[in-house]
Amino acid sequence: MVEGWVYQTKTGVGPDTAPLSWADRVRAGRDAVKDIVGKVWPYVLAGIAVGACIHGYVPENFMASIMGKGAWWSVPLAVLIGVPMYSNAAGIIPVVQALLGKGAALGTVLAFMMSVIGLSLPEMIILRKVLRPPLIATFAGWLLSEFCWSATSSTSCCKETPK
């Protein structure tokens, strides 16, 4: 299920490398944080910008009608919108907050968030470097089945009852 080169990758400390000192570990940790923050900050800013645009310019009734509780097709539509997008978990949070603030249903927004992060086309291309197609298809099929279950359960059994 995994590409052959993955099994050939050597891990751990080899005989020719010495253990790291505390100063070297702190330096390596600081360099890793700089590297990660350097790669993530554009996505966070893009997410904030998209969230700000949704918050400021999209009418509340519009989001509630498309991604609201009453629309049976809201979860599949949210997934279809999210699949071509690519973001990381930190970058999608401002968008999620703005969608929830505009009246979108929580389950629909969570399905959108999961499709952007886990089921996106760029994510599948990245996973293809390591995983073989049958495992990727299993992963995508499982996520899609979860989205379908969420769509059916949110429209049939989870409606609010009047008081």
Side-chain angles (χ1 to χ4, degrees):
M1 291 297 202
V2 178
E3 293 296 332
W5 66 268
V6 174
Y7 295 116
Q8 298 168 358
T9 304
K10 302 292 183 208
T11 61
V13 177
D16 56 344
T17 60
L20 294 175
S21 68
W22 277 106
D24 291 337
R25 289 180 187 198
V26 169
R27 195 172 311 116
R30 186 180 60 237
D31 292 342
V33 167
K34 284 182 184 178
D35 183 46
I36 291 169
V37 170
K39 290 178 182 176
V40 167
W41 74 267
Y43 296 109
V44 173
L45 287 180
I48 291 170
V50 170
C53 288
I54 291 171
H55 183 72
Y57 296 110
V58 176
E60 188 169 334
N61 294 338
F62 178 74
M63 291 309 299
S65 67
I66 291 179
M67 298 179 89
K69 295 178 183 177
W72 65 267
W73 42 266
S74 61
V75 172
L77 180 64
V79 171
L80 288 175
I81 292 170
V83 166
M85 298 175 71
Y86 181 71
S87 180
N88 58 14
I92 200 69
I93 296 291
V95 177
V96 167
Q97 188 272 335
L99 289 172
L100 289 173
K102 288 293 182 173
L106 178 61
T108 305
V109 173
L110 289 176
F112 171 74
M113 181 177 72
M114 288 174 54
S115 69
V116 170
I117 296 170
L119 193 60
S120 68
L121 185 61
E123 187 73 27
M124 294 298 136
I125 293 169
I126 292 168
L127 286 175
R128 178 59 189 104
K129 300 287 184 185
V130 178
L131 305 177
R132 292 191 177 151
L135 188 57
I136 293 173
T138 302
F139 173 69
W142 179 79
L143 280 177
L144 286 172
S145 69
E146 291 297 317
F147 293 143
C148 291
W149 179 82
S150 174
T152 58
S153 66
S154 67
T155 58
S156 63
C157 67
C158 298
K159 293 190 183 238
E160 293 182 23
T161 56
K163 293 182 179 181

